[in-house]
Amino acid sequence: MAENRASVNMEGGARGVPEGVPCWVDAQLPDVDAGRRFYGELFGWTFEQAYGASVWARLGGAPVAALAHKTDGRMPTVWTVYFSTPDAEATARRILSAGGQLVMPPFPVDGLGTAALAADTEGAVFGLWQPGSHSGFGVRHLPGAFAWAQLYARDTEAANTFYGHLFHDALFGPGAEPDFGRAPVADVFPEVMPPHFLVHFGVEDCEAALGAVGRLGGRVQAGPFSASYGTVAVVTDNQGASFALLQR
């Protein structure tokens, strides 16, 4: 949430979301207006001004994501997933002790909450969100809303150890519903692709959504293919940000 973040509260995490469960996503884009047109048409999102040059995306009035303007052209055009935490500073310390890195140490976001960007031991970047006034996803698991985050790693056992150290109860505790999986990079991408998180948005019909992506200037990277959590297609938007479509 480099410019705006979302959701957290409840004993351990985002409001109604346990610590370590994805609670927000945002995209860093060269052209926010172009992003509004693309995602508005694809997912039926509406938009309102948020913090700085960012906008909130809403689905049926509920917040589902943010689009932010890249302030530095050298930054990647990318979707980032944020994990809920009740204490961003404490979680940041655990990241460092587990061998990860802080890309942006915890910082306040205009009363909305506290955000941080980190990288795991293989360099995959993810965010943390400790909520203030902004409570994150208003809906999830619906067409047009966040549905899953998949980490594509070189070593899934190492990933399980790292994230298990950070978010054990959310991933492996009784009744855990983490919305977060791990898979080898080579399952979907070329071996040379660096480890990364892939944000998934729900769709009713994956093939129809792929047609819309193409009409809007995006492209298909992989799929559709069957995964344990549904039918997935990996795409990029009209500015190069990768994400996935998930039909369940």
Side-chain angles (χ1 to χ4, degrees), residues 32-48:
V32 171
D33 286 338
R36 289 169 62 136
R37 292 190 293 272
F38 180 93
Y39 291 102
E41 179 70 23
L42 180 62
F43 293 136
W45 291 352
T46 59
F47 299 92
E48 67 179 48

Side-chain angles (χ1 to χ4, degrees), residues 169-213:
D169 289 348
L171 290 176
F172 306 116
E177 297 180 0
D179 283 341
F180 168 30
R182 280 78 63 206
V185 168
D187 278 5
V188 175
F189 301 98
E191 292 270 3
V192 295
M193 176 74 77
H196 63 284
F197 279 91
L198 186 66
V199 173
H200 293 49
F201 295 103
V203 294
E204 291 183 350
D205 184 325
C206 194
E207 291 288 355
L210 285 175
V213 167

Side-chain angles (χ1 to χ4, degrees), residues 134-180:
H134 186 50
S135 59
F137 294 133
V139 295
R140 62 175 74 207
H141 303 154
L142 295 176
F146 171 85
W148 188 259
Q150 188 80 340
L151 170 63
Y152 286 98
R154 300 219 182 282
D155 185 338
T156 54
E157 288 304 315
N160 285 338
T161 298
F162 178 85
Y163 291 98
H165 172 76
L166 290 183
F167 306 132
H168 181 273
D169 289 348
L171 290 176
F172 306 116
E177 297 180 0
D179 283 341
F180 168 30

